[in-house]
Amino acid sequence: MSRDLVPDAGLWFRVEGGSAVSGVRRAAERLGGQLELGEQRVGDLAIVAAELTSNLVKHAREGAVLVRPARRAGRAGVELVAIDSGPGMADLTLSSRDGHSTVGTLGIGLGAITRQASWFDGYSRPGRGTALAVQIWSGPLPQPSWAAGLTRPITGEQTSGDGWAVRVADGRHQVLVCDGLGHGPLAAVATEAATAAFRAAPAVPPGAVVQHLHRAMSHTRGAALAVAELDAPAGVLRYAGLGNIAAAVVAEGERRRGLVSLPGIAGHQRPVVREYEYPFGPAATLVMHSDGVVDRWELADYPGLGGRSPLVIAATLLRDAGTRRDDAGVLVARAQP
């Protein structure tokens, strides 16, 4: 891939000073041109990228921005995700209005973002930081996604060995989280093989999908992975996992219920694959992540987060539970009625 192209996994930028603003803006403009959004929307995208990053420079600690493609229903847009561990905001809606400021500035940053964006969502708590997600599309906004994920490479690497994918196959709403063994390009190759095989797999239950992925990955170093199927009409979640992929069903205000992954490496030897079934009501949320995310989070510790989009939930958990000493990946999904 050309260095000028932004990969589907996106590019992460640490925001440690004013110089980050131009870097994020240029990457966003490059991606908008790559996806042929049109001159006007690329201009809007540049405003959003600059304002989003400038807000982190002014107000945040440990800020980071992800720039990546958003793909849905055969269309492509640009997605930006910003996370920080700064002072947070008591009222994100109020802070998004033009003229509102907490530091004596004009207070137009978030207002400019929401005006230009096709879609915007966020979560913030005083003393806990902020997670913001923005999408820019050319034309009408596609149907909101029922699942979203984020990955971040280990410090010092450009590519992550963690990955995720979503599909609807003959009415089956299925998701995949994969952690290629090790780090760097070879781990990424294993995960790319898994995600490609997942998208092309027959429309079968998760256990059979995992067996399919195992066979398709025999030429790679292998991976830990898990596949889940959200069956809203039946009110159940079907799950099959191998290795260190953590997964839980959570609901607002309740403690999570962990799902079972068996020992094994997809692509190596012949692992034992079992599929488990769990209750999954209309208010439930599925969270899956690699072992690069510390498994001590509780959604109940984030009042109101369960009502935000899957992408903002994933961003918040990655910010607080993701480690820099490993590739990290999080996926969040909800059942579709």
Side-chain angles (χ1 to χ4, degrees), residues 22-82:
S22 59
V24 173
R25 188 191 68 245
R26 286 195 300 269
E29 290 175 322
R30 191 163 70 246
L31 180 54
Q34 179 181 321
L35 299 177
E36 300 181 346
L37 292 189
E39 184 177 349
Q40 179 176 338
R41 290 308 271 161
V42 171
D44 295 338
L45 179 59
I47 293 172
V48 169
E51 293 290 352
L52 197 65
T53 313
S54 295
N55 279 343
L56 294 182
V57 173
K58 295 172 185 174
H59 309 299
R61 297 190 308 271
E62 301 177 357
V65 177
L66 172 68
V67 180
R68 70 178 182 181
R71 304 189 186 277
R72 204 142 64 242
R75 296 175 56 202
V78 174
E79 189 167 76
L80 296 99
V81 178

Side-chain angles (χ1 to χ4, degrees), residues 6 21 24 26 57 70 72 81 85 104 118 161-162 173 182 204 247 267 270-271 277:
V6 177
V21 177
V24 173
R26 286 195 300 269
V57 173
R72 204 142 64 242
V81 178
S85 301
S118 302
D162 288 0
H173 288 71
V204 291
R270 184 173 177 82
E277 193 169 285

Side-chain angles (χ1 to χ4, degrees), residues 55-235:
N55 279 343
L56 294 182
V57 173
K58 295 172 185 174
H59 309 299
R61 297 190 308 271
E62 301 177 357
V65 177
L66 172 68
V67 180
R68 70 178 182 181
R71 304 189 186 277
R72 204 142 64 242
R75 296 175 56 202
V78 174
E79 189 167 76
L80 296 99
V81 178
I83 54 176
D84 72 78
S85 301
M89 292 171 271
D91 190 331
L92 182 59
T93 301
L94 177 62
S95 298
S96 302
R97 295 174 184 167
D98 285 345
H100 179 79
S101 173
T102 58
V103 293
T105 62
L106 292 177
I108 62 174
L110 285 180
I113 292 169
T114 56
R115 282 198 311 276
Q116 308 297 333
S118 302
W119 174 85
F120 171 86
D121 192 26
Y123 179 79
S124 188
R125 296 285 292 175
R128 298 291 298 273
T130 301
L132 301 175
V134 185
Q135 292 177 356
I136 303 288
W137 297 83
S138 179
L141 176 68
Q143 184 75 16
S145 180
W146 55 277
L150 290 170
T151 60
R152 185 178 64 196
I154 187 175
T155 298
E157 289 285 354
Q158 296 299 312
T159 58
S160 174
D162 288 0
W164 59 279
V166 175
R167 72 172 190 161
V168 180
D170 286 349
R172 295 180 180 271
H173 288 71
Q174 295 182 337
V175 296
L176 163 74
V177 170
C178 183
D179 180 356
L181 293 190
H183 311 294
L186 292 180
V189 166
T191 289
E192 288 165 5
T195 54
F198 173 74
R199 294 186 180 101
V204 291
V209 174
V210 169
Q211 294 281 16
H212 174 83
L213 302 186
H214 166 66
R215 293 190 294 270
M217 296 173 63
S218 61
H219 64 290
T220 74
R221 60 169 53 178
L225 57 79
V227 174
E229 179 176 298
L230 291 69
D231 187 343

Side-chain angles (χ1 to χ4, degrees), residues 228-323:
E229 179 176 298
L230 291 69
D231 187 343
V236 300
L237 182 141
R238 302 179 186 92
Y239 181 85
L242 291 174
N244 293 327
I245 300 297
V249 173
V250 295
E252 184 79 8
E254 298 181 7
R255 301 192 69 82
R256 58 190 171 130
R257 176 178 183 177
L259 312 186
V260 175
S261 287
L262 298 179
I265 302 172
H268 283 242
Q269 301 174 348
R270 184 173 177 82
V272 174
V273 177
R274 290 198 183 99
E275 182 176 306
Y276 297 89
E277 193 169 285
Y278 302 89
F280 198 77
T285 298
L286 169 68
V287 179
M288 299 169 62
H289 59 80
S290 70
D291 62 356
V293 175
V294 179
D295 194 23
R296 291 196 296 267
W297 55 268
E298 286 289 349
L299 201 63
D301 294 336
Y302 300 88
L305 180 60
R308 309 318 305 172
S309 64
L311 180 57
V312 166
I313 297 173
T316 302
L317 295 179
L318 180 68
R319 179 196 68 198
D320 290 352
T323 175

